[in-house]
Amino acid sequence: MATATAVAEERLLSALVYLQCAAGCLILGVNQQRNSPYGRQATPRCRLRVPARVAWAVQELPSLALPLYQCASESAPRLRYAPNCILLAMFLVHYVQRSLIYPFLIRGGTPMPLFSCILATMFCTGNSYLQSRYLSHCAVYADDWLRDPRFLMGFGLWLMGMLINIHSDHILRNLRKPGDTGYKIPRGGLFEYVTAANYFGEIVEWGGYALASWSVEGAAFAFFTFCFLCGRAKGHHQWYLQNFEEYPKFRKILIPFLF
């Protein structure tokens, strides 16, 4: 019976990997035509909206709650091993910041369409189940994995990406004085080189996580992140060029000096 359950679990995780990759490809294609309708890309047709702080806290919360549940569960055999615990902690650290800190630092954020919030919540629920369940029940690492070059390089990229993301969000947040709701040209940090420095940081972060975990589950998450944020970055770049004549023409969209 236990074997049958384990097989069913592996099939479910595999299905989530394929679904995430397919969703990434679909979103990348759709975003070439139009962006997800929130933030500066929102349209007047979006009538049902959720306040920005509430939307971010609610949609990101499953990515914190489900891994914590796995940590508290007695049936999480792989969490007895250090590599699994550290990798899950890397995932959790991001979402502690994203669900409990970031939303309450937002200044005058644009309300998010309810439909976009629901889709984001669904993604976070599925992805957090995939990552936490894989690391707590399936992932097997060598005893010396924490000294493996793949883990060390991946951890370094993860940390660097997270710091870039947080610093870039700080720059964007401080463009607005209390009461401001408009948009301004960001300056400083990696914004001197790319339009979407915050997105670049998040892509690097989850690329590092995928390398450190050396798993298709982590790679699927990194791939989806790239597909989703690449399209939004392109839309942001075009928006800035259209709305600010003085916008620096030498800035790339997402990757410094390349794209």
Side-chain angles (χ1 to χ4, degrees):
M1 187 67 178
T3 302
T5 302
V7 170
E9 180 79 12
E10 290 180 4
R11 288 178 177 173
L12 175 59
L13 296 183
S14 295
L16 288 173
V17 166
Y18 286 122
L19 180 61
Q20 197 167 94
C21 290
C25 292
L26 178 62
I27 288 173
L28 184 62
V30 170
N31 279 350
Q32 299 304 311
Q33 308 299 323
R34 60 183 180 84
N35 269 297
S36 301
Y38 70 86
R40 74 200 69 186
Q41 308 294 340
T43 65
R45 293 178 298 176
C46 304
R47 295 182 180 180
L48 295 177
R49 297 173 181 259
V50 182
R53 289 181 176 180
V54 175
W56 278 102
V58 169
Q59 72 187 30
E60 304 289 319
L61 196 58
S63 293
L64 180 61
L66 287 177
L68 287 177
Y69 172 78
Q70 295 297 335
C71 291
S73 174
E74 295 181 358
S75 59
R78 303 311 306 174
L79 291 183
R80 300 169 188 163
Y81 302 93
N84 302 62
C85 290
I86 291 175
L87 288 164
L88 189 57
M90 290 163 63
F91 186 86
L92 274 169
V93 165
H94 174 90
Y95 283 105
V96 165
Q97 196 277 335
R98 214 61 179 167
S99 62
L100 300 182
I101 299 174
Y102 172 77
F104 304 101
L105 296 176
I106 294 174
R107 296 180 182 176
T110 305
M112 182 181 295
L114 177 61
F115 184 64
S116 295
C117 183
I118 292 173
L119 288 179
T121 303
M122 291 172 61
F123 170 78
C124 286
T125 301
N127 182 60
S128 61
Y129 179 87
L130 173 64
Q131 305 302 327
S132 62
R133 194 73 178 176
Y134 171 73
L135 290 172
S136 63
H137 285 73
C138 304
V140 177
Y141 295 100
D143 293 338
D144 62 348
W145 180 250
L146 298 181
R147 298 190 296 273
D148 190 285
R150 291 167 292 183
F151 175 82
L152 294 174
M153 185 178 297
F155 183 85
L157 288 171
W158 169 82
L159 181 61
M160 180 177 69
M162 183 175 65
L163 293 176
I164 291 171
N165 181 250
I166 292 174
H167 180 250
S168 299
D169 281 341
H170 173 77
I171 291 174
L172 291 174
R173 189 164 53 246
N174 285 279
L175 290 174
R176 291 173 174 163
K177 296 178 181 179
D180 286 351
T181 58
Y183 290 95
K184 300 178 182 179
I185 298 175
R187 309 278 186 182
L190 282 179
F191 283 111
E192 296 299 323
Y193 303 96
V194 295
T195 293
N198 51 334
Y199 293 168
F200 173 72
E202 191 157 355
I203 289 170
V204 170
E205 180 182 0
W206 294 122
Y209 167 82
L211 179 59
S213 69
W214 201 249
S215 65
V216 294
E217 289 77 8
F221 181 26
F223 175 74
F224 179 91
T225 300
F226 174 80
C227 291
F228 180 72
L229 296 182
C230 183
R232 285 196 63 79
K234 186 177 178 180
H236 286 0
H237 189 73
Q238 293 172 344
W239 185 91
Y240 275 115
L241 291 174
Q242 292 169 0
N243 288 273
F244 294 94
E245 292 183 2
E246 69 277 22
Y247 193 74
K249 301 299 188 293
F250 61 84
R251 282 191 191 178
K252 297 296 184 181
I253 297 173
L254 182 63
I255 303 174
F257 310 112
L258 297 177
F259 170 73

